[in-house]
Amino acid sequence: MIKKWWHDKIAYQIYPKSFLDSNGDGIGDLAGIISRLDYLKALGIDIIWLSPIYKSPFVDQGYDISDYYAIAEEFGTMEEFDLLLSEAKKRDMHIIMDLVINHCSSQHEWFQQALKNPYGEYGDYFYFRKGVNGHEPNNLRSYFGGSCWEPVPDTDLYYLHMFAREQPDLNWENPKLREELYKMVNWWLEKGLAGFRIDAIINIKKDLSFPDFPADGPDGLAACWKMVESVDGVGDFLDELKERTFKCHDAFTVAEVFNMQEGELGNFIGDDGYFSTMFDFSAHCLSFGEHGWYDAPPIDFRQWRQTIAESQASVAQCGFEANIIENHDEPRGVSRFLPDYAQTPAGAKMLGTVSLLLRGIPFIYQGQEIGMQNSVWNSIDEFNDINTIDQYNIALQAGMSDAQALAACSLHSRDNARTPMQWSSEENAGFTTGQPWLKVNPNYTEINVADQESDVDSVLNYYRRLTSLRKSADYKEVFTYGDFEPAFADDDNMVMAYYRTNKEKRILIAANFGSEPVELVLEYPAKRVLLRNMHSGLLLSDSRDSTESMDSTSGLKLDSCEVCVMECQI
Ligand code: TEU
Ligand code: CA
């Protein structure tokens, strides 16, 4: 494997709208981000991913871009963005932006021109197709509900949108469009951007015959990802994109890829892959419902543990995946992956440890480092997210009651991760002096940065120790390049444990997700404890200070929600 500059980095995702508001309009902004760079540096962050900050009508929170070369007024100016770049650079941090190029906003100039003349130059930037017998060209359902096809008024044409109708899909078959996109990507990279998180990119290849698929819901439609999974050739586009842009700048790219065809991982993230890395969503997929959020299964611990092990094994020979417990599309990891009794500071530290020390590039989502949780939702009107409204209606149509539909949305809504960052116990969690654009999680008086700063045992201070361990001179190599080996995966326990090993070192990460204490017989004698989230009941035969060597130790007792990172003899 060829070593790359980003292999040993730790990344952090900022959702700008909810990070920090500097001017009291209730919307987070670039000035807010700049003012917290030192906070992120102290957390051990090297790479910052900004969810979209481009000009947008915000139908899908900026994932609908109306000008790829402009900063949204809500967030600030291009001067402020340049300042962010240079301030980050001063601190030896890298900024990456979201790259949303499967679709743009219906307000984008290209689409406006296309609507005026679907048969003209800009019409070919999109997919306009004639209806079939007065119907949509095929029966695909968009990710946000309803047909993927929107009629163009006063014509017999429809245009394709795999997401909202305000997000028309760009026609990647058109070389002119591709050139426009490459030019734009290079423009940002030349500005000093370190790379991109690449949105929904697997969707760019369409089956141009636009066939019908067997209906999979009462609406007679079929999920549009079925087309994605059935069509070949996305690799040609991705390869050209990389060759023409990222590769020329040694950029770091992390792709959002669902529905990849089997056996393609190496093409995507191998040494000469399309991307540097891509997110591992395998654990998240465990709680995707067959028809929607209303029939989503809860996470089963053993299945989750096995899924992570399998995922780590499958990527080991190819490259690196990016590990997350949550992002702006997912509920909070603490609320999703931890049993009720573990939704505590101890549990948050345990989950964070298990995730951050996996092989791969760790991404921390804003608020994860203080253990933020899903919010409390009293009515569907409190949500803003377009996907949530759709899922609410799907649940009602499936016969759920109002209360049941709300309960499903409360568990799964993307807005759970989008509530304002909890900076302090002051009004609005210190996020804004104005009216926040989305309701603050009422638990901000218990969970916030300011209180955790002054508590050595807080989740925040633990995360700082965790990132510094991962990056420490002595252990960086093994945490970056060391192999992953599952350990103690017994049906009788709820222990999530694994080794990270190389020729010199063997590190055991062991966490007890169960409600009762467990005792493990160590397979390799312990040398020293590197990190733990509790100070009690540590070792059966040895409870000496963590810096001492512990050659005699052979047993490890873990309380409920306890995690221990220890170096063992090889
Ligand atoms: O998400 C793409 C995507 O596939 C998600 O809709 C996914 O299916 C869902 O969240 C699973 O829970 C990306 C962005 O991350 C998302 O915020 C955007 O809404 C979407 O693309 C459209 O740009
Ligand atoms: Ca603001």
Side-chain angles (χ1 to χ4, degrees):
M1 182 184 311
I2 306 165
K3 291 204 172 177
K4 302 276 173 65
W5 67 265
W6 45 265
H7 279 163
D8 58 3
K9 300 291 183 268
I10 297 181
Y12 186 93
Q13 179 186 357
I14 289 184
Y15 196 68
K17 200 167 179 180
S18 303
F19 190 64
L20 181 59
D21 174 23
S22 70
N23 62 354
D25 66 355
I27 296 175
D29 44 48
L30 290 174
I33 295 172
I34 294 169
S35 73
R36 287 299 186 274
L37 286 176
D38 288 330
Y39 167 81
L40 297 175
K41 184 74 191 173
L43 184 59
I45 303 305
D46 309 292
I47 298 175
I48 299 171
W49 153 28
L50 303 176
S51 272
I53 54 169
Y54 312 85
K55 189 172 160 68
S56 164
F58 287 90
V59 170
D60 183 22
Q61 300 302 357
Y63 283 89
D64 46 326
I65 297 171
S66 54
D67 185 347
Y68 287 102
Y69 292 92
I71 302 293
E73 276 172 24
E74 291 86 343
F75 295 148
T77 62
M78 191 61 83
E79 287 67 39
E80 283 170 302
F81 177 77
D82 290 338
L83 183 64
L84 172 62
L85 278 183
S86 62
E87 289 296 316
K89 193 163 183 203
K90 263 189 213 164
R91 293 166 175 80
D92 201 18
M93 294 160 95
H94 309 265
I95 304 286
I96 68 172
M97 283 167 88
D98 231 293
L99 185 62
V100 190
I101 49 178
N102 172 68
H103 46 267
C104 62
S105 161
S106 52
Q107 300 295 314
H108 194 287
E109 181 64 20
W110 295 337
F111 192 69
Q112 290 296 313
Q113 294 294 336
L115 277 184
K116 279 186 203 147
N117 182 7
Y119 295 100
E121 181 184 351
Y122 289 100
D124 202 29
Y125 276 41
F126 300 91
Y127 294 101
F128 287 91
R129 290 292 186 279
K130 283 196 175 155
V132 180
N133 304 326
H135 287 291
E136 291 80 7
N138 74 357
N139 71 341
L140 289 182
R141 182 193 308 108
S142 82
Y143 288 110
F144 295 153
S147 170
C148 276
W149 296 98
E150 182 69 10
V152 183
D154 306 321
T155 70
D156 55 356
L157 293 172
Y158 294 77
Y159 71 84
L160 179 76
H161 63 89
M162 295 182 69
F163 293 88
R165 64 167 63 83
E166 296 89 349
Q167 294 169 299
D169 281 53
L170 291 163
N171 175 12
W172 274 72
E173 306 290 337
N174 179 352
K176 255 183 114 173
L177 175 270
R178 298 204 302 274
E179 287 304 321
E180 288 280 7
L181 294 178
Y182 302 156
K183 191 176 87 184
M184 178 273 292
V185 170
N186 286 324
W187 185 84
W188 285 103
L189 291 173
E190 275 150 29
K191 235 178 186 312
L193 204 70
F196 293 96
R197 175 269 185 182
I198 304 169
D199 185 71
I201 194 67
I202 197 84
N203 295 288
I204 63 176
K205 182 73 187 180
K206 323 294 184 200
D207 180 341
L208 298 175
S209 68
F210 291 114
D212 278 333
F213 286 79
D216 56 22
D219 54 5
L221 305 179
C224 60
W225 52 259
K226 298 199 169 150
M227 174 182 73
V228 174
E229 285 190 348
S230 70
V231 67
D232 293 326
V234 70
D236 297 336
F237 290 152
L238 299 179
D239 198 52
E240 187 182 271
L241 169 64
K242 175 201 71 183
E243 291 292 329
R244 296 287 311 280
T245 61
F246 313 141
K247 200 171 174 177
C248 317
H249 294 85
D250 196 18
F252 169 72
T253 54
V254 51
E256 184 204 29
V257 180
F258 289 93
N259 314 103
M260 189 186 70
Q261 289 183 356
E262 242 177 77
E264 289 210 284
L265 198 58
N267 301 343
F268 276 67
I269 57 169
D271 273 340
D272 199 27
Y274 314 135
F275 307 110
S276 310
T277 182
M278 59 192 238
F279 292 110
D280 180 3
F281 291 118
S282 55
H284 304 78
C285 293
L286 295 175
S287 61
F288 287 178
E290 199 185 329
H291 303 98
W293 294 349
Y294 74 88
D295 66 353
I299 296 284
D300 172 76
F301 172 79
R302 289 172 185 86
Q303 212 188 355
W304 173 76
R305 176 174 66 186
Q306 190 187 338
T307 299
I308 292 183
E310 284 169 3
S311 179
Q312 290 272 305
S314 71
V315 74
Q317 303 308 319
C318 300
F320 287 91
E321 282 191 327
N323 298 312
I324 61 163
I325 65 167
E326 64 209 33
N327 67 22
H328 67 294
D329 288 336
E330 304 292 338
R332 290 287 180 176
V334 166
S335 305
R336 179 188 205 158
F337 295 112
L338 292 173
D340 288 348
Y341 55 80
Q343 297 186 10
T344 60
K349 294 172 193 172
M350 173 176 74
L351 185 63
T353 310
V354 165
S355 167
L356 262 77
L357 298 182
L358 289 172
R359 186 176 172 285
I361 316 299
F363 273 69
I364 299 171
Y365 179 72
Q366 70 182 39
Q368 178 186 327
E369 75 277 21
I370 56 170
M372 278 179 69
Q373 304 179 344
N374 282 355
S375 197
V376 178
W377 306 97
N378 302 306
S379 139
I380 187 69
D381 303 329
E382 289 182 344
F383 294 102
N384 179 298
D385 170 35
I386 183 171
N387 196 13
T388 304
I389 313 299
D390 177 47
Q391 288 292 336
Y392 181 76
N393 291 323
I394 288 177
L396 291 183
Q397 278 151 24
M400 301 284 125
S401 70
D402 218 51
Q404 288 169 320
L406 182 64
C409 291
S410 298
L411 279 180
H412 297 280
S413 176
R414 309 198 296 179
D415 279 344
N416 281 308
R418 300 175 181 186
T419 61
M421 175 74 182
Q422 293 164 205
W423 292 105
S424 73
S425 58
E426 282 163 36
E427 207 182 349
N428 294 322
F431 162 73
T432 180
T433 55
Q435 181 66 30
W437 74 275
L438 185 69
K439 184 180 123 162
V440 175
N441 188 324
N443 72 10
Y444 72 92
T445 49
E446 274 98 60
I447 299 179
N448 65 71
V449 173
D451 289 354
Q452 295 196 16
E453 285 284 359
S454 53
D455 172 4
V456 280
D457 279 333
S458 65
V459 179
L460 176 60
N461 279 313
Y462 182 87
Y463 259 79
R464 289 173 176 154
R465 293 194 284 278
L466 180 57
T467 55
S468 75
L469 169 63
R470 188 176 166 117
K471 297 167 76 167
S472 64
D474 286 348
Y475 295 97
K476 187 179 190 146
E477 184 71 18
V478 68
F479 284 126
T480 305
Y481 295 105
D483 293 335
F484 169 96
E485 274 173 46
F488 302 107
D490 191 323
D491 273 353
D492 296 339
N493 68 34
M494 282 186 65
V495 171
M496 169 60 169
Y498 56 86
Y499 297 108
R500 298 297 312 279
T501 59
N502 62 15
K503 287 205 183 78
E504 287 84 45
K505 288 193 166 61
R506 170 177 294 276
I507 314 295
L508 172 66
I509 295 94
N512 178 14
F513 281 64
S515 57
E516 300 298 324
V518 289
E519 294 183 6
L520 304 175
V521 179
L522 293 179
E523 300 164 303
Y524 304 88
K527 277 171 91 174
R528 60 182 66 82
V529 170
L530 302 176
L531 187 66
R532 62 197 204 208
N533 68 337
M534 290 182 188
H535 296 278
S536 60
L538 185 63
L539 292 160
L540 284 181
S541 56
D542 195 323
S543 56
R544 274 178 287 165
D545 180 77
S546 62
T547 50
E548 283 177 47
S549 86
M550 302 186 298
D551 289 342
S552 62
T553 302
S554 62
L556 173 61
K557 176 171 172 256
L558 293 174
D559 274 340
S560 170
C561 298
E562 180 162 10
V563 63
C564 181
V565 183
M566 68 161 65
E567 182 169 2
C568 299
Q569 283 171 21
I570 308 197

Short mmCIF file of all heavy atoms in Angstrom, two decimals, residues 20-29 74, ligand 2:
data_model
loop_
_atom_site.label_atom_id
_atom_site.label_comp_id
_atom_site.label_asym_id
_atom_site.label_seq_id
_atom_site.Cartn_x
_atom_site.Cartn_y
_atom_site.Cartn_z
N LEU A 20 -22.39 27.33 14.89
CA LEU A 20 -22.34 28.48 15.78
C LEU A 20 -22.72 29.74 15.00
O LEU A 20 -22.15 30.03 13.95
CB LEU A 20 -20.93 28.63 16.38
CG LEU A 20 -20.75 29.80 17.36
CD1 LEU A 20 -21.68 29.68 18.56
CD2 LEU A 20 -19.30 29.85 17.86
N ASP A 21 -23.67 30.47 15.56
CA ASP A 21 -24.18 31.69 14.91
C ASP A 21 -23.46 32.89 15.51
O ASP A 21 -23.54 33.12 16.72
CB ASP A 21 -25.69 31.77 15.16
CG ASP A 21 -26.28 33.08 14.66
OD1 ASP A 21 -25.68 33.71 13.77
OD2 ASP A 21 -27.35 33.47 15.18
N SER A 22 -22.80 33.67 14.66
CA SER A 22 -22.02 34.80 15.18
C SER A 22 -22.79 36.12 15.14
O SER A 22 -22.38 37.09 15.75
CB SER A 22 -20.72 34.96 14.39
OG SER A 22 -21.01 35.43 13.08
N ASN A 23 -23.91 36.19 14.40
CA ASN A 23 -24.57 37.50 14.23
C ASN A 23 -26.04 37.52 14.65
O ASN A 23 -26.78 38.44 14.30
CB ASN A 23 -24.42 38.00 12.79
CG ASN A 23 -25.10 37.05 11.80
OD1 ASN A 23 -25.57 35.98 12.20
ND2 ASN A 23 -25.15 37.44 10.54
N GLY A 24 -26.45 36.48 15.36
CA GLY A 24 -27.79 36.52 15.95
C GLY A 24 -28.95 36.32 15.01
O GLY A 24 -30.09 36.55 15.39
N ASP A 25 -28.69 35.83 13.78
CA ASP A 25 -29.83 35.58 12.89
C ASP A 25 -30.37 34.15 13.04
O ASP A 25 -31.26 33.73 12.29
CB ASP A 25 -29.48 35.89 11.42
CG ASP A 25 -28.42 34.95 10.88
OD1 ASP A 25 -27.89 34.11 11.65
OD2 ASP A 25 -28.10 35.06 9.67
N GLY A 26 -29.81 33.41 13.99
CA GLY A 26 -30.33 32.07 14.25
C GLY A 26 -29.74 30.99 13.36
O GLY A 26 -30.11 29.82 13.45
N ILE A 27 -28.81 31.40 12.48
CA ILE A 27 -28.20 30.47 11.52
C ILE A 27 -26.69 30.46 11.74
O ILE A 27 -26.04 31.52 11.76
CB ILE A 27 -28.52 30.92 10.07
CG1 ILE A 27 -30.03 30.85 9.84
CG2 ILE A 27 -27.76 30.08 9.05
CD1 ILE A 27 -30.48 31.37 8.50
N GLY A 28 -26.14 29.29 11.90
CA GLY A 28 -24.70 29.17 12.06
C GLY A 28 -23.99 29.76 10.85
O GLY A 28 -24.56 29.88 9.77
N ASP A 29 -22.71 30.14 11.00
CA ASP A 29 -22.04 30.82 9.90
C ASP A 29 -20.53 30.62 9.93
O ASP A 29 -19.98 30.02 10.87
CB ASP A 29 -22.40 32.32 9.89
CG ASP A 29 -22.34 32.91 11.30
OD1 ASP A 29 -21.34 32.65 11.99
OD2 ASP A 29 -23.30 33.60 11.70
N GLU A 74 -26.35 33.42 3.86
CA GLU A 74 -26.67 33.04 5.23
C GLU A 74 -25.41 32.70 6.02
O GLU A 74 -25.35 32.88 7.23
CB GLU A 74 -27.58 31.80 5.24
CG GLU A 74 -28.99 32.03 4.73
CD GLU A 74 -29.10 31.91 3.20
OE1 GLU A 74 -28.07 31.95 2.50
OE2 GLU A 74 -30.24 31.79 2.72
CA CA B 2 -25.57 33.76 11.49
#
